[in-house]
Each structure stands twice: as structure tokens, then as C-alpha cells.
Amino acid sequence: MAAWDLSVIVEDLGADAPPITISVASDLHIGGVILKLVEKMQIKRDWSDHALWWEQKQRWLLRTAWTLEKCEVHADARLIFMPQHKPLKLGLPNGLTLKLRACFSNPVFQTVMGICRLLSIRHPEELSLLRPVEEKKKKKDKDLSEDIYDLTEVPLSSVSRPCLYNGMPAHFADSDKLEAVYKMLSVTQPLPAPEAIAKQYRPASVVDKAHINGRWLDSSRCLMQQGVKENDRLWLRFKFFSFYDIDPKYDVVRVTQLYEQARWAILLEDIDCTEEEMMLFGSLQYHISKVSQSEPQMLCSSAALDDLETALQSLEVKMEGESSSASELLKTMTAPELNDYLKIFRPKRLTLKGYKQYWFKFQDTSISYFKSKEESIGEPIQQINLKGCEVAPDVNVAAQKFLIKLLIPAPEGMNEVYLRCENEQQYAEWMAACRLASKGKSLADSTFQSEIDSIRSFLAMQKTNGSQGHADAGDESINPHSLVSPRYHKKYKPKQLTPRILDAYQNVAQLSLTDALMRFLQIWQALPDFGLSYVVVRFKGSRKDEVLGIAPNRLIRIDLGVGDVVKTWRYNNMKQWNVNWDIKQVAIEFEGNVNIAFSCLTADCKIVHEYIGGYIFMSTRSREKSDVLNEELFHKLTGGHEAL
């Protein structure tokens, strides 16, 4: 084959260095090109991380066994020889910035896996990278004053669960500087100043919230292909709100960063909550801040104890499996029953009637109701199966309001039903039963009692202790405007907020740091709007813009004008979904011949496609395979083959 000249720019030689020309033939493989290039440069160093980037085609030539002919490289190709790992500035959920080496040649999904390994965060599939909100630069020196924690010298490891040394991953134990980085990752940040909260960008509407989702990077393409350059700034955030297997022992960094993301979402009103809930969140933040300053945070656990615990757990699982058939039989024979008078209201029926009282019976995973207790032997007025339904609390202890909101799946969308309970005890039992039934579990399930207890402790936290003059209230140096969103800065003076937050604080003051963090995340996850990511779309056949809410288990159509939910579709009723990349339209087919199609306005349709596929992927994770991430399945569900 005839030889021809190929010019390659070597990034390490500097911007002004001329390209290096080598003589090649079309049957020379990529590895051979790199070899010739290195020989001609005569610079002795480790080139193993370097690869060729083809600028015109915006792709890496990573298959070193492929020939130039197979890669379709000709003499006019502009090739750059550069490292695959480059420094990147990473904004963390806690608002601080890290500098680390990230892979610019792998798909973003793998790059995030590498970053999470380095930061000791398990389940990296829940996180992703997004472009930051453009901040208006007021001062020239703003960037210089920023603290950047440097991790660029730390070698990337391939171990998914790092070995701990003094309670932290070994690669952080090398120096005081790295130990400080780990502390920053694993310890909650001090309370922000009210001015700092007021300065931050706050979405004013659902449309504003939708714009942030247009900035997620594509998981199936690499950083270089998406225009990210060396030392650029990106944000690392939890993207899929489906958290699997949170274990405070191994997930110190994960829990801390998740708390920080949740805290800022509440402070910046990214997610709506009631005034009562805001005071409760404020009291928990205050407690967490107080305890984390006094408690040494490094988790010291001896490896031998860990091994013992793991062995005991697996033994427990084995024994449970062997005796399950006998215990199931016993359970069904002694399953607890729930019967009581409750009030029911169905807002969908076009009537102005309020709540009506009936006699309710809970059996397996369904509730039936009758006109009265005496008639409960006969046929019920209606039986509602709660398997797969949504259960949301609507509670105000002070006002003695105990509502359970049920969204029942139906072919045309979701039917709303409200149940009203008389008191806390009744609410805790029925709420626990509804939650279990929605997951397909009956009252015989072993978690029924613990579910009741956790609901009762949640209600206890909402109660305010009438004693305003606390013994320690005088000593508490508390700036309530650091604990609540700016809306309340305008509404109340600090001296009005302080007693309310301290009141709620009395109910959480006994919690350990880990319990307080977990409780904060629990209450955040119970908010009605939790886990919703918004995109502005135009439905096929419609003339107006609407909002699509993407949740971990369903899609929601929201009217932009009034903000009401128009329809809900669940993923488990989905038969298939397709994307037409030419006209950028997503089409979804559900059971019962329900078809919807929409084009995306505030985000690329690839982002919506990835959200849907990603949540379906999250639901496939199971305990046995917990340590092995099925990357291929993730790409199959989220990749998408864009129009050529």
C-alpha cells in the first residue's frame, strides 16, 4: 500500500508547537500510529493515558487494533494526541468546589463512576453531571477568592468499595491536606448566612425549575464530545431520586451530600413544603449543625466487627429463607385486621359534598367500605385495591387534620381519594397499612409495626411543646433566617421564628447525628413534590405549552396556567417508548390503548428519554446484584440512537 503523510498535533508540546508529521499506510493500525509518533518525538515519559482525538469528527480513536482505513482517517484529518484524563472543577451539592482528574474519553456515565469511586460514593448511577447556572460576574476577583479543594494528585482506583483506614478510604489518609478534603465531603457544612441564601438563584415558577433539566450532560457521550474543556466547571448532583440501599456506615459521603442537596432544595424553594414542615426542616438543620460541630465525625469501625456483622446478616437471610414457608403460614393465620369508621372524599366527582362517614375494612392490599358496621357482612359499596397506588400525607397536628391522600391507578390516569382520620393513632395505623399495600404487602408484613412507629414519631416531631420559655432557649444562639427559605425572611422577624424553630427542635434534640440526617431525608422524601423533574413540552394535537413532571415511578401532565395535575401515567403500565430524533418527539404507548406524544421545549428530548429509561433501570436493581452495576442495561435503556 502507498505511504502518505499524516500530521498530528501533540497537546503536551504546547499550543505554538508545529504538528508532527509521520509517514503511514492505510493498513496501519491506530496503535502503530501512536508508536511512530512517540518514537519521532524522542521524549521519554509515560504516554499510556494518551489517545488520538479526531477534531472534525468529534470522536476519540480508542480502538488501537483498528486500521486507519477502517476508521476512515485520511491525510486531511486533524488529529490531536492528548491525555484522556484531565483536570475538572466540580461543584458539589454542598456548594464547595473540588478539582480532580476526570476521564474525557469515556461516556459520562463511566466518568461519573470514576468520580464517585474517588469520592467514596456508592451507587454512582443515581448521580450525573450538569452545566452550572451562569453566574453574573460582578467582581473581577470573584474566582480568585474561592476555595478549591485539590484532588488532582490522587490516583484513580478501580475498587468499588474502598478499604477503610481510620474510618476513611485509604487514599484520603495519605496526608493532612487529603484528610481535610474528606472532612469537607463527609461533614455537613455550617449554616449559611441569610445573605448567602438570598444571593442564590431561586426558581420563581415551574418553568424556571424546568430550565435546569436542560443542562444535564448526555450519559452516553464523553465530555469532549459535549464541548467540555480542561479545567471547565461542572456540577455533580443526584439526578435520579430513587435511592437504593442507603447504609450510613458505608455511605458517609453519600448521605452528607444528599442532605446538602436536599437542604438547598428546601432553602431555595426548589421543592414546596408547608410552613409547619419548614419549621421542622429548620429545627433539624439547627440540630445537625449543632451536633456535627461537637461530635467527631470520622466513623471508626474495626474490620473484624464489620466481617462479623456481614456474616450474621447472611446467616439471618439464609434462616429467613428456610423457615419462610412455615412463617408465611403462621402469618396468614394471625394477620392483624383494621376496621374502623373513617370519612372519605372523592374530589374527581363534580359535587360540592364534603366528607362522608363509612365503615372501612382493610384486608390484604385493599380497602372496602360499607354504610355501617352492621352491614359489613354483606357486599361493600366499593372495594379499592391499593397495590401500586400513590400515598401522600396531608397532616397538620396543631389543627387536628389527619388526611391520607390516595392516587389510585386507572386506565385513563389516576383517581384521587381522600381518607380523613379522627386522631393520631387511627391515622398512624391506616397510613402505615396504605403504604404497605401500595408496595403489595399486607398487614401481616413484619414492617407494619415499625411503619406505625415511624409515622407516630414523625407526628410527635410536628407537635409543638407549649412551654415557650425553654431553659436553654436563652442560651441558643440561633439565626432563624439561616434555617428557612427567603419567603419567611420577609414574612416573619427573627424573634417570631426563633421560638417556633426551638419548639420543633425540642422533639429532635435527642437524635444522634446519623438519625437526624436520615430523618431529614425521610421527611424530604415524603413531600408531595419530591423527586419531580420538570420539562416544558408541547403535546401532540395541543396548541399550548404544558409541563411534564418526571417522577421515579410515573409521568405527570401539568397545566402551566393553574399548575394543576391533568393526568398521571405510571411506568409499570408502559408498553414501549420511542424517540423520533428527526422531529425531536417522544412517543409512549401504555396499556389499554393509551398513546401520548410530545416534543420537548426546555430540554433536549434525549434528556427526557434518559430520565424515563434511567428510572426504569433504577427499578431493576435488586439485593443479590447490589454490588454489580449492569452498565450495558443502563445504556440500552437510556442511550438512544440519534438520527445519523
Side-chain angles (χ1 to χ4, degrees):
M1 276 197 165
W4 43 278
D5 285 349
L6 180 66
S7 296
V8 181
I9 296 163
V10 179
E11 201 179 64
D12 297 52
L13 299 180
D16 302 328
I20 289 179
T21 307
I22 52 173
S23 174
V24 298
S26 297
D27 61 352
L28 181 65
H29 48 74
I30 301 297
V33 173
I34 293 173
L35 200 63
K36 281 195 162 193
L37 196 63
V38 171
E39 279 172 357
K40 188 151 185 186
M41 275 192 289
Q42 294 180 334
I43 300 172
K44 278 202 162 50
R45 51 164 291 185
D46 180 2
W47 296 99
S48 61
D49 188 46
H50 284 57
L52 292 169
W53 167 254
W54 188 354
E55 201 172 57
Q56 294 109 314
K57 289 278 175 83
Q58 287 286 295
R59 65 185 173 95
W60 288 90
L61 302 176
L62 296 175
R63 299 189 174 189
T64 48
W66 281 27
T67 61
L68 290 171
E69 190 173 27
K70 190 166 184 180
C71 295
E72 298 178 357
V73 173
H74 302 297
D76 60 352
R78 188 179 154 84
L79 300 182
I80 305 171
F81 189 56
M82 59 162 102
Q84 295 175 59
H85 286 82
K86 298 169 180 241
L88 191 68
K89 287 183 193 143
L90 203 62
L92 298 172
N94 64 8
L96 296 173
T97 304
L98 259 185
K99 193 173 180 188
L100 45 74
R101 299 180 75 74
C103 183
F104 275 64
S105 62
N106 281 341
V108 164
F109 187 74
Q110 281 181 6
T111 301
V112 172
M113 281 167 73
I115 291 170
C116 288
R117 262 202 304 273
L118 181 68
L119 305 185
S120 186
I121 298 176
R122 294 192 311 145
H123 300 292
E125 67 276 12
E126 294 163 2
L127 297 97
S128 193
L129 299 172
L130 76 164
R131 299 175 198 279
V133 178
E134 283 71 41
E135 288 171 359
K136 293 181 179 67
K137 287 215 168 71
K138 287 175 186 154
K139 293 181 184 159
K140 288 272 187 343
D141 58 357
K142 187 172 177 298
D143 277 352
L144 302 174
S145 62
E146 181 187 48
D147 280 338
I148 292 184
Y149 292 81
D150 194 350
L151 275 182
T152 46
E153 297 309 309
V154 178
L156 296 169
S157 86
S158 57
V159 187
S160 64
R161 187 176 281 182
C163 52
L164 299 181
Y165 177 79
N166 275 355
M168 59 181 150
H171 58 264
F172 284 111
D174 286 350
S175 67
D176 292 347
K177 196 179 107 181
L178 293 179
E179 213 164 288
V181 177
Y182 186 70
K183 194 169 180 217
M184 177 275 292
L185 291 168
S186 59
V187 179
T188 57
Q189 290 303 301
L191 297 171
E195 307 77 60
I197 301 174
K199 254 194 235 159
Q200 297 266 357
Y201 168 77
R202 285 197 312 285
S205 65
V206 177
V207 176
D208 286 356
K209 290 177 190 176
H211 278 288
I212 190 157
N213 291 315
R215 300 204 314 274
W216 288 107
L217 293 184
D218 185 336
S219 291
S220 46
R221 293 162 68 220
C222 70
L223 292 176
M224 284 288 286
Q225 287 172 321
Q226 301 183 63
V228 179
K229 297 184 178 67
E230 191 172 329
N231 285 319
D232 273 3
R233 175 191 286 277
L234 292 173
W235 282 355
L236 179 73
R237 292 289 184 273
F238 287 88
K239 175 179 182 179
F240 296 103
F241 294 95
S242 168
F243 310 120
Y244 182 70
D245 181 29
I246 290 183
D247 181 342
K249 191 162 87 182
Y250 295 112
D251 289 329
V252 187
V253 178
R254 184 178 173 209
V255 168
T256 305
Q257 296 302 325
L258 193 51
Y259 161 72
E260 292 282 357
Q261 186 165 329
R263 163 164 80 156
W264 280 104
I266 286 154
L267 288 177
L268 301 178
E269 293 166 18
D270 247 347
I271 183 167
D272 297 331
C273 64
T274 64
E275 201 165 299
E276 243 82 32
E277 286 160 344
M278 185 59 86
M279 298 308 142
L280 186 49
F281 281 129
S283 68
L284 277 164
Q285 285 181 73
Y286 173 62
H287 179 58
I288 288 165
S289 167
K290 200 174 164 185
V291 180
S292 63
Q293 280 163 14
S294 60
E295 258 188 38
Q297 279 255 309
M298 296 303 177
L299 290 187
C300 297
S301 62
S302 83
L305 271 174
D306 285 358
D307 292 344
L308 181 64
E309 201 173 301
T310 322
L312 282 170
Q313 272 178 351
S314 66
L315 183 65
E316 196 181 330
V317 171
K318 264 189 200 155
M319 288 173 72
E320 265 181 20
E322 283 161 17
S323 62
S324 65
S325 52
S327 61
E328 284 302 316
L329 201 65
L330 272 171
K331 272 185 192 171
T332 46
M333 285 160 67
T334 58
E337 277 188 11
L338 270 188
N339 305 302
D340 218 336
Y341 277 110
L342 300 176
K343 290 181 175 166
I344 188 169
F345 171 54
R346 295 173 155 273
K348 277 284 190 301
R349 305 226 167 124
L350 298 168
T351 54
L352 296 170
K353 288 177 190 160
Y355 287 85
K356 282 187 76 174
Q357 183 163 300
Y358 292 102
W359 176 258
F360 278 81
K361 251 179 136 167
F362 212 117
Q363 277 179 316
D364 289 336
T365 59
S366 34
I367 45 177
S368 314
Y369 58 95
F370 307 82
K371 268 201 173 153
S372 64
K373 184 177 180 177
E374 292 72 41
E375 295 187 19
S376 63
I377 308 157
E379 282 294 306
I381 296 171
Q382 193 192 7
Q383 184 176 24
I384 306 169
N385 188 357
L386 300 185
K387 197 170 174 184
C389 76
E390 305 286 312
V391 185
D394 186 357
V395 178
N396 185 336
V397 181
Q400 286 293 296
K401 170 185 167 196
F402 301 104
L403 287 186
I404 300 170
K405 182 180 172 188
L406 300 171
L407 285 167
I408 319 285
E412 70 286 350
M414 299 289 250
N415 293 330
E416 265 184 302
V417 175
Y418 286 86
L419 299 180
R420 181 172 222 132
C421 301
E422 284 302 306
N423 51 44
E424 284 179 43
Q425 179 56 30
Q426 192 186 50
Y427 169 78
E429 287 178 351
W430 285 82
M431 184 66 178
C434 290
R435 277 190 185 158
L436 286 180
S438 72
K439 296 173 191 159
K441 296 175 181 175
S442 73
L443 302 181
D445 194 85
S446 55
T447 54
F448 181 47
Q449 192 52 50
S450 61
E451 188 74 55
I452 293 177
D453 295 341
S454 93
I455 292 167
R456 286 169 77 171
S457 70
F458 174 62
L459 294 175
M461 284 162 73
Q462 277 209 12
K463 273 191 211 157
T464 52
N465 305 358
S467 52
Q468 290 288 334
H470 300 300
D472 59 349
D475 316 332
E476 304 283 0
S477 52
I478 170 173
N479 183 348
H481 283 179
S482 294
L483 303 166
V484 295
S485 67
R487 186 192 328 176
Y488 299 97
H489 300 189
K490 299 185 186 87
K491 199 171 173 183
Y492 298 109
K493 291 188 172 71
K495 64 180 180 204
Q496 293 170 300
L497 284 171
T498 302
R500 291 183 66 185
I501 290 175
L502 285 178
D503 255 344
Y505 168 66
Q506 297 308 304
N507 297 308
V508 299
Q510 305 311 313
L511 294 176
S512 72
L513 181 62
T514 305
D515 288 346
L517 287 168
M518 296 305 280
R519 187 61 58 88
F520 188 98
L521 295 177
Q522 220 175 355
I523 300 166
W524 172 56
Q525 289 176 332
L527 293 175
D529 291 348
F530 165 76
L532 278 179
S533 308
Y534 302 101
V535 180
V536 178
V537 298
R538 176 76 61 90
F539 278 90
K540 194 176 178 181
S542 170
R543 289 186 170 180
K544 59 178 185 179
D545 294 353
E546 289 171 87
V547 173
L548 183 74
I550 306 167
N553 55 358
R554 65 199 191 281
L555 295 175
I556 302 165
R557 183 175 184 170
I558 301 165
D559 185 305
L560 202 51
V562 278
D564 285 355
V565 172
V566 180
K567 256 198 176 62
T568 305
W569 302 281
R570 298 178 67 83
Y571 300 147
N572 56 11
N573 292 337
M574 194 189 280
K575 285 168 95 174
Q576 61 169 346
W577 80 101
N578 302 302
V579 181
N580 182 329
W581 300 105
D582 294 327
I583 57 171
K584 300 214 175 295
Q585 188 182 67
V586 181
I588 310 176
E589 186 189 335
F590 294 95
E591 286 168 6
N593 289 334
V594 177
N595 292 296
I596 60 169
F598 53 84
S599 49
C600 309
L601 305 178
T602 51
D604 194 285
C605 57
K606 170 69 171 80
I607 289 172
V608 175
H609 171 53
E610 196 170 299
Y611 258 122
I612 296 171
Y615 275 129
I616 290 171
F617 173 76
M618 301 294 152
S619 68
T620 65
R621 299 179 293 180
S622 71
R623 192 108 213 145
E624 301 80 65
K625 308 171 195 157
S626 63
D627 280 350
V628 186
L629 186 58
N630 188 343
E631 207 184 314
E632 193 187 338
L633 180 63
F634 181 86
H635 285 304
K636 211 177 260 183
L637 288 167
T638 61
H641 304 286
E642 295 184 32
L644 297 168

